[in-house]
Amino acid sequence: MQIPDRGADSRALLHPGISEHWVTHLAERHRILARALADRGHTLAASPPAWARRLGVPPPAHAPRRRPAWATTCALVELWRTRHAITGTPGLGPRPADLVSAAAWDDLDARIRALTGHRRPAPLPPPDAPATVLIEAALSHLDTPPPLPPPC
């Protein structure tokens, strides 16, 4: 499992001035954190908390791709909830106003939507529109922030 930088910053691993010893040490720390996050996700999948309802029902343990994706997403959402002190609402809570946190929220929200199959509707141009119009519509859709998830 890859830990997003919001969970454990990996930029130091790429810094040109860092010694090889520290790169090895930090890489090992990342592996340990990734393992702990994966383990936590599987624990949450075995007994999902109420706030995880927005992620849908955990896939069966014998689903080799879907179960780890669900577990990873659930663990990342729990990390988000802990870091942002979210206790009274399910899921990710409200989308933050600051750009860095909002981008992280959008990433997690996209992961949740990928798990649950909820997609944002894309406005489509007419079928006879030129390719440039189709491309522009697709790009503007990607730039549009996702809507708030429906309440549980």
Side-chain angles (χ1 to χ4, degrees):
M1 170 193 299
Q2 184 70 22
I3 300 175
D5 280 343
R6 66 182 171 274
D9 195 349
S10 63
R11 290 176 292 187
L13 293 168
L14 305 173
H15 193 277
I18 193 166
S19 73
E20 188 175 326
H21 169 74
W22 271 106
V23 169
T24 303
H25 175 75
L26 291 174
E28 180 61 21
R29 282 181 148 196
H30 271 261
R31 280 190 292 277
I32 291 168
L33 288 171
R35 184 72 240 159
L37 198 60
D39 290 346
R40 181 64 186 150
H42 290 295
T43 299
L44 291 167
S47 181
W51 58 257
R53 277 192 214 119
R54 292 199 178 177
L55 279 70
V57 177
H62 62 272
R65 288 193 178 107
R66 293 182 344 179
R67 177 74 169 217
W70 192 98
T72 298
T73 301
C74 193
L76 290 172
V77 170
E78 182 181 59
L79 178 61
W80 172 268
R81 291 174 58 83
T82 301
R83 288 208 167 163
H84 294 274
I86 297 170
T87 57
T89 59
L92 298 172
R95 186 173 189 265
D98 73 275
L99 294 177
V100 173
S101 294
W105 189 96
D106 290 344
D107 178 59
L108 282 170
D109 183 59
R111 288 181 76 114
I112 293 168
R113 285 185 285 111
L115 287 175
T116 61
H118 294 129
R119 306 284 191 266
R120 286 183 281 155
L124 296 175
D128 59 344
T132 54
V133 173
L134 293 172
I135 292 168
E136 184 60 37
L139 291 175
S140 67
H141 175 67
L142 292 174
D143 290 338
T144 304
L148 292 174
C152 281

